[in-house]
């Protein structure tokens, strides 16, 4: 059942929040070369490993080795000391799943702790979410915490415009897959996004983009809508925030994607 559903849902691991966040600060996204980015990149890899494991096994795992999460060591081969059993060591951080629940309300929480005596000392990353398609990713340093965006700490070749556009392209393709799967089951397409089971990922602070009416569904920076046509459907993703605000992406039943209204600075 879960594997069948996960074939077309654009989802994240449903995570449960089990900690009290300190006061939040807006902060500035960290530079890609900093130790903070090491932790951010590895926590994202942990999330992807757990999600892939869920899709295969219908469950998450407390055992990070079981899900295939293997953070990189330092260049000299050394790793951070681990606080105890259940932790996995990277270069400057140790990682652990702190809580997990099973199907049907599968969830987990995880933490990355900077090692004492390293540049990461005093840094803690936490990942969790209150519902199936919402996720919170925070970085805390010296008692000050901020949300971490999915487009932070991407490879140097990724600049802000393409990083933000990637959200819309990813989700509109998931919406296409959801419509095709719905067609196979019901012999029809649907303009009801909830009916086809599409649930775009929220921002990492748990918020979703505002929508003009109930026919739209909000992700983080994009909102989504489906129109039926005589031959099939046209799905629309429209950016409503960020440097790519105003960008519109469309995909039809053949999988053909078009992008328009791209801001000048992103052209």
């Amino acid at each position: 059942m879960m594997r069948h559903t996960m074939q077309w849902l654009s989802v994240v691991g449903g995570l449960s929040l089990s900690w009290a966040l300190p006061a939040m600060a807006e902060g500035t996204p960290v530079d890609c070369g900093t130790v903070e980015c090491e932790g951010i990149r590895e926590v994202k890899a942990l999330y992807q490993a757990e999600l892939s494991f869920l899709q295969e096994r219908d469950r998450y795992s407390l055992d990070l080795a079981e899900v295939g999460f293997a953070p990189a060591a330092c260049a000299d081969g050394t790793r951070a000391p681990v606080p105890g059993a259940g932790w996995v060591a990277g270069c400057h951080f140790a990682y652990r799943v702190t809580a997990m629940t099973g199907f049907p309300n599968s969830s987990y929480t995880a933490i990355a702790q900077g090692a004492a005596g390293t540049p990461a000392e005093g840094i803690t990353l936490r990942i969790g979410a209150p519902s199936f398609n919402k996720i919170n990713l925070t970085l805390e340093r010296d008692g000050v915490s901020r949300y971490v965006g999915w487009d932070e700490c991407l490879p140097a070749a990724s600049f802000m415009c393409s990083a933000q556009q990637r959200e819309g392209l990813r989700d509109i393709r998931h919406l296409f897959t959801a419509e095709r799967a719905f067609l196979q089951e019901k012999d029809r397409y649907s303009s009801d996004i909830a009916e086809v089971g599409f649930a775009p990922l929220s921002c990492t602070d748990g918020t979703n983009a505002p929508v003009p009416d109930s026919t739209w569904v909000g992700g983080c920076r994009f909102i989504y809508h489906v129109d039926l046509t005589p031959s099939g459907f046209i799905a629309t993703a429209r950016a409503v925030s960020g440097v790519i605000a105003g960008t519109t992406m469309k995909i039809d039943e053949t999988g053909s994607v078009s992008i328009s209204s791209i801001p000048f600075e992103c052209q």
Side-chain angles (χ1 to χ4, degrees):
M1 172 73 176
M2 175 62 78
R3 278 190 293 272
H4 180 63
T5 302
M6 292 295 289
Q7 287 175 355
W8 68 81
L9 285 182
S10 172
V11 299
V12 299
L15 317 171
S16 61
L17 291 174
S18 60
W19 60 82
L21 289 176
M24 299 303 299
E26 288 297 326
T28 300
V30 295
D31 294 331
C32 287
T34 63
V35 70
E36 288 95 337
C37 268
E38 174 193 330
I40 290 171
R41 284 192 297 266
E42 296 291 10
V43 166
K44 290 177 183 177
L46 186 158
Y47 154 71
Q48 291 292 346
E50 285 283 4
L51 181 58
S52 295
F53 190 80
L54 174 69
Q55 292 171 332
E56 292 180 358
R57 306 288 186 87
D58 293 346
R59 64 181 177 89
Y60 295 117
S61 176
L62 289 169
D63 185 346
L64 288 175
E66 183 182 28
V67 302
F69 173 65
C74 295
D76 61 4
T78 60
R79 293 182 181 272
V82 295
W87 291 82
V88 173
C91 178
H92 297 105
F93 290 85
Y95 307 83
R96 183 169 71 93
V97 176
T98 55
M100 186 193 72
T101 62
F103 185 79
N105 297 313
S106 301
S107 66
Y108 73 90
T109 58
I111 188 171
Q113 184 69 58
T118 75
E121 182 174 3
I123 301 174
T124 301
L125 285 148
R126 296 184 174 94
I127 189 165
S131 66
F132 200 54
N133 66 321
K134 292 184 182 293
I135 191 165
N136 293 118
L137 175 54
T138 63
L139 183 150
E140 178 186 347
R141 185 161 201 167
D142 300 325
V144 178
S145 184
R146 69 175 182 83
Y147 292 108
V148 175
W150 285 113
D151 51 11
E152 289 189 37
C153 298
L154 293 172
S158 298
F159 58 97
M160 191 59 67
C161 289
S162 62
Q164 293 184 7
Q165 286 172 349
R166 192 176 295 115
E167 175 196 335
L169 285 170
R170 176 199 66 208
D171 283 344
I172 201 171
R173 286 168 178 154
H174 281 302
L175 180 50
F176 166 80
T177 302
E179 286 284 358
R180 297 291 292 179
F182 189 80
L183 174 68
Q184 292 175 1
E185 291 190 349
K186 305 291 187 178
D187 294 328
R188 63 181 175 88
Y189 294 114
S190 176
S191 60
D192 185 340
I193 292 178
E195 184 180 28
V196 301
F198 173 68
L201 186 66
S202 71
C203 295
T204 57
D205 61 1
T207 60
N208 292 81
V211 295
D213 57 57
S214 60
T215 66
W216 293 78
V217 171
C220 179
R221 291 189 174 91
F222 283 79
I223 58 176
Y224 304 88
H225 176 79
V226 173
D227 290 303
L228 299 183
T229 67
S231 60
F233 69 90
I234 296 176
T236 300
R238 182 181 300 160
V240 295
S241 67
V243 296
I244 40 76
T247 298
T248 299
M249 302 175 182
K250 293 182 180 292
I251 191 169
D252 63 20
E253 71 281 351
T254 70
S256 177
V257 177
S258 63
I259 304 176
S260 62
S261 303
I262 303 173
F264 177 78
E265 58 269 30
C266 291
Q267 296 180 13

